[in-house]
Amino acid sequence: MNMENIDYVQSSIGYHFKNLRLLQQAFTRKSYSQEHPEVQDNECLEFYGDEILDLYVAKSMFKRFSKIQNGELVSQKNEGELTKLKSVFVSKHTLAQCSYNAGFYHFLYLGKSDIKNEVQKSASVNEDLFEAIIGAIAVESDWDDEVIECAVSKALDVDAKITTMITNDTKVRCFDIDTAVTTLKEMA
């Protein structure tokens, strides 16, 4: 990656690395590191990023839907609803789309086999890249909660997506109830 690409990535994610090698490692596929043994791949960063995303999304949902009342947790959503919401945010599709839309796949370090198979645009590779970037931010920031939360929030925009999902879900439920009432009236 040249400095222009590095600047683009850093401005897109809202975090500026002191250690640019760590950022570049986030973009390094295993196939590349196997051909260049002096370079580390992004797989461990991907692991850490994956775990962080689960935690951040759970924390965001807690802030949005839950509170402690009389010493007990009270939630507006049940476990099934929370699980469904979380699965949307940490799904392969969502994470890959964030990475793909930013054009990050252009900057991947790929080995010959990945280049031949044109994997750079695949959902799996873009999901892994997104997770690796989040992992790199966590590692470099020494796991600073505020820094990580800011980066994940900017990338995923959880609050806006939750609002959209709730609005759409309410519209669907209202439509279903209205349709059912109309159908019953017509049948009577």
Tab-separated table of all heavy atoms in Angstrom, residues 23 29 56-57 130 155 174 177:
chain	number	residue	atom	x	y	z
A	23	LEU	N	-1.225	-2.054	10.323
A	23	LEU	CA	-2.313	-1.814	9.373
A	23	LEU	C	-2.106	-2.651	8.114
A	23	LEU	O	-3.039	-3.290	7.630
A	23	LEU	CB	-2.383	-0.326	9.005
A	23	LEU	CG	-3.394	0.046	7.910
A	23	LEU	CD1	-4.816	-0.333	8.312
A	23	LEU	CD2	-3.298	1.530	7.572
A	29	ARG	N	-3.168	-11.378	3.266
A	29	ARG	CA	-3.755	-12.724	3.247
A	29	ARG	C	-2.677	-13.775	3.499
A	29	ARG	O	-1.502	-13.566	3.209
A	29	ARG	CB	-4.413	-12.981	1.894
A	29	ARG	CG	-5.566	-12.067	1.577
A	29	ARG	CD	-6.895	-12.603	1.918
A	29	ARG	NE	-7.111	-13.868	1.242
A	29	ARG	CZ	-7.893	-14.836	1.723
A	29	ARG	NH1	-8.533	-14.675	2.843
A	29	ARG	NH2	-8.042	-15.951	1.060
A	56	TYR	N	-18.872	-5.423	21.091
A	56	TYR	CA	-19.367	-4.083	20.829
A	56	TYR	C	-20.850	-4.092	20.460
A	56	TYR	O	-21.619	-3.255	20.943
A	56	TYR	CB	-18.572	-3.380	19.726
A	56	TYR	CG	-19.198	-2.060	19.400
A	56	TYR	CD1	-19.048	-0.962	20.244
A	56	TYR	CD2	-20.019	-1.918	18.291
A	56	TYR	CE1	-19.669	0.236	19.969
A	56	TYR	CE2	-20.645	-0.717	18.024
A	56	TYR	CZ	-20.469	0.355	18.859
A	56	TYR	OH	-21.107	1.531	18.592
A	57	VAL	N	-21.253	-5.004	19.624
A	57	VAL	CA	-22.662	-5.064	19.219
A	57	VAL	C	-23.538	-5.396	20.424
A	57	VAL	O	-24.597	-4.781	20.620
A	57	VAL	CB	-22.865	-6.056	18.054
A	57	VAL	CG1	-24.344	-6.312	17.804
A	57	VAL	CG2	-22.203	-5.510	16.787
A	130	PHE	N	-12.377	-6.897	7.187
A	130	PHE	CA	-13.028	-5.980	8.122
A	130	PHE	C	-12.661	-6.343	9.556
A	130	PHE	O	-12.288	-5.478	10.359
A	130	PHE	CB	-14.549	-6.029	7.932
A	130	PHE	CG	-15.285	-5.049	8.793
A	130	PHE	CD1	-15.508	-3.751	8.351
A	130	PHE	CD2	-15.760	-5.411	10.035
A	130	PHE	CE1	-16.188	-2.830	9.148
A	130	PHE	CE2	-16.437	-4.503	10.845
A	130	PHE	CZ	-16.653	-3.212	10.391
A	155	ALA	N	-17.795	2.343	11.559
A	155	ALA	CA	-17.857	1.352	10.483
A	155	ALA	C	-19.236	0.710	10.355
A	155	ALA	O	-19.737	0.526	9.246
A	155	ALA	CB	-16.799	0.277	10.705
A	174	CYS	N	-47.550	-3.820	11.494
A	174	CYS	CA	-48.778	-3.041	11.300
A	174	CYS	C	-49.478	-3.465	10.015
A	174	CYS	O	-50.683	-3.624	9.982
A	174	CYS	CB	-48.461	-1.550	11.248
A	174	CYS	SG	-48.005	-0.876	12.860
A	177	ILE	N	-51.178	-6.820	10.572
A	177	ILE	CA	-52.388	-6.698	11.386
A	177	ILE	C	-53.503	-6.062	10.556
A	177	ILE	O	-54.640	-6.539	10.551
A	177	ILE	CB	-52.108	-5.877	12.664
A	177	ILE	CG1	-51.192	-6.687	13.601
A	177	ILE	CG2	-53.395	-5.480	13.365
A	177	ILE	CD1	-50.628	-5.883	14.759
